[in-house]
Amino acid sequence: MSAPRSADQIHASLSAQIVAGQLRPGDPLAEAALADRFNMSRTPVREALQRMAAEGLVERGPRRAFIVRRMTPTDLGHMFEALGEIEALCARLAAQRMTPIARAQLTEILAVECRTHDDYAALNRRFHEALRLGAGNQVLSDLLADLNRRTLPWRNAQFHTSNGRMDSSRQEHHAILQAIIAQDGDKAAALMRDHMAGSLAVVLAMIAPRETTGNPPPSRGVTP
Amino acid sequence: MSAPRSADQIHASLSAQIVAGQLRPGDPLAEAALADRFNMSRTPVREALQRMAAEGLVERGPRRAFIVRRMTPTDLGHMFEALGEIEALCARLAAQRMTPIARAQLTEILAVECRTHDDYAALNRRFHEALRLGAGNQVLSDLLADLNRRTLPWRNAQFHTSNGRMDSSRQEHHAILQAIIAQDGDKAAALMRDHMAGSLAVVLAMIAPRETTGNPPPSRGVTP
DNA sequence: GCCTTTTGAATTGTATACATATCATAATAT
DNA sequence: ATATTATGATATGTATACAATTCAAAAGGC
């Protein structure tokens, strides 16, 4: 059996709280307080925080204390651009490389009916995941997963936006699917770029007015 | 003054030894031995190793001991493909965004004469660095820096290859420069993709015959 | 003879004590 | 009154002791 390592539990718990918005950018992460809260010593807490720092989820604040990572508007723009471009790159590779079977599975994913936001979030996740797998590059897939995790605290803001976004997002997914079935890599990439830009513009518009290095509106639900 | 932190020193030292080939893939990194070698306790050694693990330079071996990261041939292919594609992406963005001044500086970099391999390695580094800056995206720039560090142990093998590669690499650089001056993003990206593929094919050809999860030939000099 | 079980050593994971740096507060001199 | 310096508290950085786990080797049963 795999031994339960304390540091891993802390890492998972803190990461989840950060991406869920329960811990917000700028919040302090004092070692002693966390050790007390998890009923553990500072050592595994430090390990978890150091790993999260390397992953870009937390940063150093005053007194070299760890704080939940803040983002300048410029940082957010760069991160979302990188996310969109690499996702577009994966779409192009997927169009070139997916097997007929994989294309059929991708079609199946989009054929599922869903009404609630949670349903659609799950569908959306499956769609993008299938595309990442279809690109056939583990490194790019890992990069996307990382960027997704790091932007999740900010993307969750999309929940409150119009339901219309859900419908247009779905149409864009189908357009991308058609391009992939046609094995038109450039078109798939261009469509995916627009798709990501559209969904992320909503986030930026919601975040820009607020102070950006501070706290994004806490909420649940993801609709890229 | 900034306090000298032991963990940072160890991290820098070990990272340098790994990318330089003095520590080779699969080599064990026992905590006690390293602590003894650096005349420090295990705590900062563990911190350095954990950060390097998150950065992808080391991995876990038997007994959960840290070892220098190994790579399957598939992993290497994925990593080099990701490197080439993102570099191409940056070239396209740079073509769209570089100011006339930045373009002039890029031209200057390529105008410098150089005869030794070290000279050319420096020129090459400056060229790619200028392009990353020109893309104007810190996140993509960081991603490239990471991928470069992680592939450095394997790319160093290129040193022994023919001098002809240096000349053709130089010609490819000039072609990319022309595309950027013409602000032709797609062409710059395509040229960069070919450029990276060409230089990395040399590495793969040299590595493929050997056992790939083991050790790359140790050497110095980089010529992407 | 081969497989299973047990036992042991060696290494990593965790806890705690101590050292050190950083920031805030207050006191003092100008 | 303001600026500067001293001083103290609080949090992080490091060292060391202990616990737990893992792998290997040897002993025993089939």
Side-chain angles (χ1 to χ4, degrees):
Chain A
M1 298 298 291
S2 65
R5 281 173 294 282
S6 306
D8 290 347
Q9 291 177 251
I10 299 172
H11 179 274
S13 177
L14 286 181
S15 298
Q17 293 200 358
I18 289 175
V19 299
Q22 297 168 17
L23 285 172
R24 301 191 300 184
D27 281 358
L29 298 170
E31 298 174 3
L34 291 174
D36 178 56
R37 193 176 135 215
F38 286 101
N39 274 15
M40 292 167 184
S41 78
R42 277 176 52 210
T43 308
V45 172
R46 281 178 66 81
E47 177 176 333
L49 289 175
Q50 283 153 8
R51 277 168 52 190
M52 291 166 72
E55 292 163 5
L57 275 177
V58 305
E59 62 181 341
R60 314 295 281 223
R63 248 183 154 79
R64 284 187 63 80
F66 288 100
I67 63 175
V68 180
R69 173 153 189 177
R70 297 169 301 182
M71 292 257 222
T72 67
T74 302
D75 287 339
L76 271 176
H78 289 177
M79 180 124 355
F80 283 157
E81 178 176 72
L83 190 55
E85 290 289 351
I86 297 180
E87 194 97 37
L89 167 58
C90 282
R92 179 157 55 77
L93 293 176
Q96 297 168 355
R97 297 175 178 174
M98 277 182 115
T99 65
I101 292 176
R103 283 197 289 269
Q105 290 172 336
L106 192 66
T107 306
E108 284 301 316
I109 289 174
L110 284 193
V112 172
E113 282 295 323
C114 58
R115 297 207 166 271
T116 72
H117 278 89
D118 283 347
D119 284 351
Y120 190 71
L123 179 147
N124 187 67
R125 200 160 32 237
R126 281 200 300 272
F127 178 72
H128 285 270
E129 185 184 351
L131 230 57
R132 286 207 306 264
L133 284 177
N137 186 311
Q138 186 66 45
V139 174
L140 287 174
S141 187
D142 289 345
L143 285 180
L144 274 183
D146 274 5
L147 289 174
N148 261 305
R149 241 206 350 267
R150 288 166 65 180
T151 54
L152 210 48
W154 311 91
R155 298 167 73 186
N156 281 339
Q158 252 187 119
F159 175 68
H160 289 302
T161 60
S162 65
N163 290 355
R165 175 67 197 145
M166 201 170 85
D167 297 333
S168 58
S169 178
R170 190 162 191 131
Q171 289 177 345
E172 289 161 9
H173 282 170
H174 275 93
I176 293 171
L177 174 63
Q178 293 306 318
I180 286 177
I181 290 177
Q183 301 189 36
D184 187 340
D186 289 336
K187 188 173 183 181
L191 288 171
M192 176 61 88
R193 217 179 341 251
D194 291 345
H195 171 58
M196 297 299 288
S199 73
L200 297 178
V202 178
V203 179
L204 284 178
M206 170 163 290
I207 288 174
R210 301 179 58 92
E211 83 268 34
T212 48
T213 58
N215 306 325
S219 58
R220 298 203 52 79
V222 182
T223 309
Chain B
M1 298 297 293
S2 65
R5 280 172 292 281
S6 306
D8 290 347
Q9 292 177 252
I10 298 172
H11 179 273
S13 177
L14 286 181
S15 297
Q17 293 199 0
I18 290 175
V19 299
Q22 296 169 19
L23 285 172
R24 300 189 302 182
D27 281 358
L29 298 170
E31 297 174 4
L34 290 175
D36 178 56
R37 194 177 132 215
F38 286 101
N39 273 19
M40 291 164 185
S41 79
R42 277 176 51 210
T43 309
V45 172
R46 281 178 67 82
E47 176 178 333
L49 289 174
Q50 282 153 7
R51 277 168 52 191
M52 290 165 71
E55 292 163 5
L57 274 177
V58 306
E59 62 181 340
R60 302 288 215 174
R63 248 186 152 77
R64 283 186 63 80
F66 288 100
I67 63 175
V68 180
R69 173 151 188 177
R70 296 169 300 181
M71 291 256 218
T72 68
T74 302
D75 287 338
L76 270 176
H78 289 177
M79 180 122 357
F80 282 157
E81 179 176 72
L83 191 56
E85 290 289 351
I86 298 181
E87 194 97 39
L89 167 58
C90 282
R92 179 157 57 75
L93 293 177
Q96 297 168 353
R97 296 174 179 175
M98 277 183 115
T99 65
I101 292 177
R103 283 197 289 270
Q105 290 173 335
L106 193 66
T107 306
E108 285 299 316
I109 289 175
L110 283 193
V112 172
E113 283 296 324
C114 59
R115 296 206 166 271
T116 72
H117 278 89
D118 283 348
D119 284 351
Y120 190 70
L123 179 149
N124 187 67
R125 199 160 34 234
R126 281 200 299 272
F127 179 73
H128 285 271
E129 185 185 351
L131 229 57
R132 286 207 306 263
L133 284 176
N137 186 310
Q138 186 66 45
V139 173
L140 288 175
S141 187
D142 289 346
L143 286 181
L144 275 183
D146 274 5
L147 290 174
N148 260 304
R149 238 203 354 263
R150 288 165 64 181
T151 53
L152 211 48
W154 311 91
R155 298 166 73 187
N156 282 338
Q158 250 188 119
F159 175 68
H160 288 304
T161 59
S162 65
N163 289 354
R165 176 66 197 145
M166 201 169 85
D167 296 334
S168 59
S169 178
R170 190 163 188 129
Q171 289 176 344
E172 289 162 10
H173 282 171
H174 275 95
I176 294 170
L177 174 63
Q178 293 305 319
I180 286 177
I181 289 178
Q183 301 189 35
D184 186 341
D186 290 336
K187 188 173 183 181
L191 287 172
M192 176 62 88
R193 218 179 341 251
D194 291 345
H195 171 57
M196 298 297 290
S199 73
L200 297 178
V202 179
V203 179
L204 286 178
M206 170 163 292
I207 288 173
R210 301 181 58 94
E211 84 268 32
T212 49
T213 58
N215 307 323
S219 57
R220 296 202 54 78
V222 183
T223 310

